[in-house]
Amino acid sequence: MSIGLGIFLLVVGAILVWALDVTVTGVDLQLIGYILLAAGALVTILGIVLMTRRRNSTSTTRTIADPANGEQVTRRENSIDDL
């Protein structure tokens, strides 16, 4: 969702900067366009960084028979790696 919002802000900012030739009293549309372009780039970069940051989980279960008395021993290992 954040990548889509970033692209939307980039497009709206680009339209305000380069496609419109309108003057509004008291409002600088080019400045607003540049602000939207910067915000869109920031949101897009943050969205990509958060999407590539995954959480990996590994779970291992082992069952071993004890040679001394014949009972089975179950060992579980869990690990979580954050990138």
Side-chain angles (χ1 to χ4, degrees):
M1 180 174 154
S2 61
I3 296 174
L5 175 64
I7 292 172
F8 175 76
L9 290 175
L10 284 170
V11 169
V12 171
I15 289 171
L16 287 176
V17 171
W18 293 298
L20 289 181
D21 191 21
V22 177
T23 56
V24 178
T25 306
V27 178
D28 188 2
L29 290 179
Q30 282 193 336
L31 178 63
I32 293 173
Y34 284 123
I35 291 171
L36 288 176
L37 280 170
L42 181 66
V43 169
T44 303
I45 290 170
L46 284 175
I48 291 171
V49 167
L50 290 176
M51 192 171 73
T52 60
R53 186 176 171 225
R54 293 179 284 185
R55 189 173 193 157
N56 295 331
S57 176
T58 304
S59 178
T60 305
T61 303
R62 296 181 186 168
T63 303
I64 304 170
D66 189 4
N69 58 9
E71 70 182 39
Q72 292 191 355
V73 178
T74 302
R75 180 178 176 186
R76 293 184 183 176
E77 297 176 8
N78 292 325
S79 65
I80 297 174
D81 299 326
D82 284 59
L83 297 175

